[in-house]
Amino acid sequence: MERETLEMDVVFVGAGPANLSGALHLARLIKTHNETVANGGAGEALGDIEIGVIEKGASVGAHILSGAVMDPKALRELIPDFVEQGAPLESPVNEDYFLYLTKTRAIRSPITPPPLKNHGYYIVSLNKLTAWLGEKCEEAGVNIFPEFPGADILYDENDAVVGVRTGDKGIDKEGKRKANFEPGVDLRAKVTVLGEGPRGSLTKQLVQRLGLDAGREPQVYSIGVKELWELPDDRYPAGRVTHTLGFPSDAQTYGGGWIYGMQNRILNLGYVTGLDYKDPLLDPHAEFQRFKTHPFLRKLLDGGKMIRYGAKTIAAGGYYAMPQIYADGVLLVGDCAGFLNSQRLKGIHSAIKSGMLAAEAIFAALVAKDYSAKQLQRYEQLVNESWIIPELRKVRNFHAGFKHGRWLGIMNTGFQFFTGGRSWGLFDRAKAHAGHEEMKKLAAYGYRGDNIEQRYDGLKFDGKVAFNKLTDVYHAAVGHSEDQPSHLHVLDTNICATRCAEEYGNPCQRFCPAAVYEMVEDSANGGRKLQVNFSNCVHCKTCDIMDPYQIINWVTPEGGGGPDYKGM
Ligand SMILES: Cc1cc2nc3c(=O)[nH]c(=O)nc-3n(C[C@H](O)[C@H](O)[C@H](O)COP(=O)(O)OP(=O)(O)OC[C@H]3O[C@@H](n4cnc5c(N)ncnc54)[C@H](O)[C@@H]3O)c2cc1C
């Protein structure tokens, strides 16, 4: 097949805060350098350096979902006057609350735990903030290509990365070319930066191929399920931040809720569930729906209207789970490098900072005309010397502490506060497993069959407070052309109706927050079979992470497909 090849200098894959900050910082470093040289300064001008950012979403921000309370320290380094320049900020944080929820009561903690203190931070819609950063990049001369998924990494004969291949367009569901067929483009670059967010599909390939995770712990994840509501009055002001612990999670499951006040009476709420849960009947979407049925939440939402929905995973493993972040011709930034601080549930600041540090390392590589791992290792050095690593080291055993349940996890967190992150044997991160390995079989849990009522007895999707998955997915404004091959590759569907049904009761039907996976009658064979409703997919990647047999492979669909997270 004839493919167009585009020669770039630097390609950033994914238009998230990490890569947009990296592209912007790099464009400015080059401009300043070229001006200095033109004015008689030392060195050689770099000339026109082509910087491209590719994004699988239909626009910058379309696939971006976060909380989000942003620690502004990195944005301030990138754009010191971001407030004056009109960065879209919902509100400074004015009030912090921490609640413990029993089934019926909301008990306010007299003190807010230090990691959840947000004074000086901002509530933002990360969707709006990335769109704004995208504009800043374009003003600085960066080329942004929405609807361009990175489908494959291009390597040379020595396994050095030399660019990415974008996905083909116009293939029908049988794999045949349609009238609008367009082959993907080979974007060749001196340096490729992967900023795909959690569980990046190219990052996964690269890490496996080059063994970048050798000697590191497996990454563990959580999933955040979120809605925006329009409230009828000012009952929850912009700038108020509430975090909750307790109901509806059981004491063995890592989880907690957030409620943030945004402008124009918009309430932003969601629920995080650790993707290392044990109960095979657990359903993160149902956990969130149940959260909203708590009397405190019911009262808050009374008379309001749900307007948006979304879900996305969070890379929670932290310090011990970070892969090697550089190799020949390639760097990893943001969540796909594992820079999120899971104790604070904050990764925007470190994503921005890591993008900037990557830019500095690339700038040095362009000046040295050397794109080898040896040269690009400068990025790791810069990260080690920055505030990112000390911040992550202090909480290095945080998530692992919860593997023995909520109360020991909290004790461990308190202990680490005084030890600067040191833990003791029971909570040692070095004994961690990948999250899917934690799921127990139905029988081990004492369940009879996969009837979800055994866990969610009494939960009703009343369409007022609690919604079923299809109603929620409608509010994620998801769109994929139906006539394309499924981008969710289930590598062995024979397991589904037999072994998986018996052992785990087909948990894909529950851990997917978008009703993508469905076991349906198989009239031809008189049994059941898996149906993959891929057009519902919100690109959260939970299936790729949580499938107990690790046979689901998430790859990028045709460019532009997916959710549209306006205002999220
Ligand atoms: C529910 C939830 C709540 C959170 N709350 C907070 C919070 O309150 N405060 C905070 O600081 N952080 C929070 N975070 C974390 C924060 O959102 C992330 O740390 C941050 O967004 C990471 O930025 P990133 O640029 O690495 O990746 P992302 O923001 O994930 O962006 C990645 C981009 O790359 C694109 N992409 C992926 N793969 C490809 C491909 N192959 N080709 C082309 N494009 C691709 C995606 O579509 C996306 O646009 C939260 C995260 C979640 C999920």
Side-chain angles (χ1 to χ4, degrees), residues 12-20 54-57 59-71 122 124 126 130 145 148-152 194-203 222-226 243 258 260 270-272 310-315 333-337 339-341 344-352 354 539 541 554 556:
F12 289 85
V13 180
N19 266 349
L20 292 170
I54 60 167
E55 166 55 46
K56 64 182 164 61
S59 59
V60 173
H63 291 181
I64 298 284
L65 180 140
S66 187
V69 173
M70 177 185 68
D71 175 343
Y122 291 91
V124 296
L126 195 58
T130 44
F145 304 101
F148 269 66
D152 281 302
L194 299 182
E196 298 180 284
R199 195 70 159 201
S201 47
L202 295 185
T203 309
S222 300
I223 174 173
V225 185
K226 170 175 174 179
H243 289 109
W258 80 80
Y260 302 154
Y271 203 80
V272 172
K312 188 163 173 187
T313 49
I314 300 163
V333 296
D335 275 12
C336 71
F339 289 132
L340 181 130
N341 176 339
R344 302 208 291 154
L345 184 55
K346 286 191 177 53
I348 301 171
H349 64 306
S350 47
I352 293 176
S354 66
H539 296 205
K541 321 268 180 80
W554 192 102
T556 47

Side-chain angles (χ1 to χ4, degrees), residues 146-149 167-171 178 180-184 558-560:
E147 300 201 359
F148 269 66
D168 296 337
K169 279 190 179 164
I171 306 260
K178 296 192 278 192
N180 63 346
F181 173 73
E182 268 178 51
E558 192 171 291

Side-chain angles (χ1 to χ4, degrees), residues 335-550:
D335 275 12
C336 71
F339 289 132
L340 181 130
N341 176 339
S342 66
Q343 190 183 76
R344 302 208 291 154
L345 184 55
K346 286 191 177 53
I348 301 171
H349 64 306
S350 47
I352 293 176
K353 180 72 181 173
S354 66
M356 292 174 71
L357 297 174
E360 287 165 27
I362 297 167
F363 175 72
L366 288 166
V367 170
K369 298 190 175 54
D370 177 0
Y371 314 103
S372 66
K374 198 164 162 241
Q375 169 71 35
L376 291 175
Q377 192 176 4
R378 173 93 188 113
Y379 169 50
E380 188 188 61
Q381 262 172 27
L382 290 170
V383 169
N384 288 340
E385 290 161 9
S386 73
W387 46 255
I388 295 183
I389 293 299
E391 178 179 335
L392 291 182
R393 269 189 63 78
K394 265 190 233 149
V395 297
R396 61 192 180 276
N397 287 302
F398 168 73
H399 192 87
F402 285 84
K403 72 182 168 189
H404 301 289
R406 179 186 300 151
W407 300 114
L408 285 174
I410 291 172
M411 269 173 58
N412 183 49
T413 307
F415 180 74
Q416 280 186 72
F417 187 65
F418 295 104
T419 62
R422 214 161 297 125
S423 217
W424 66 93
L426 189 63
F427 302 107
D428 209 347
R429 181 72 184 87
K431 295 190 187 85
H433 299 288
H436 69 273
E437 291 173 6
E438 300 286 344
M439 193 191 290
K440 300 246 185 308
K441 295 187 177 154
L442 287 169
Y445 241 84
Y447 287 135
R448 294 190 182 170
D450 64 354
N451 180 356
I452 197 167
E453 300 276 307
Q454 292 171 100
R455 183 177 172 103
Y456 295 103
D457 189 25
L459 173 62
K460 296 216 165 30
F461 299 120
D462 60 4
K464 289 191 185 120
V465 169
F467 303 95
N468 62 23
K469 286 185 187 174
L470 286 180
T471 308
D472 264 335
V473 168
Y474 173 77
H475 288 90
V478 189
H480 289 97
S481 153
E482 299 267 352
D483 191 14
Q484 64 173 303
S486 169
H487 64 284
L488 300 155
H489 298 175
V490 184
L491 307 177
D492 177 4
T493 44
N494 292 328
I495 286 188
C496 305
T498 52
R499 198 171 150 205
C500 185
E502 276 160 33
E503 292 184 340
Y504 298 100
N506 301 114
C508 55
Q509 300 182 104
R510 295 178 291 278
F511 56 61
C512 169
V516 167
Y517 299 94
E518 207 180 337
M519 292 302 289
V520 296
E521 299 303 318
D522 180 8
S523 47
N525 298 309
R528 298 178 83 204
K529 66 171 183 189
L530 180 70
Q531 178 172 296
V532 181
N533 307 312
F534 72 87
S535 52
N536 287 355
C537 177
V538 293
H539 296 205
C540 71
K541 321 268 180 80
T542 304
C543 53
D544 193 295
I545 294 164
M546 205 51 198
D547 169 47
Y549 307 101
Q550 290 294 285

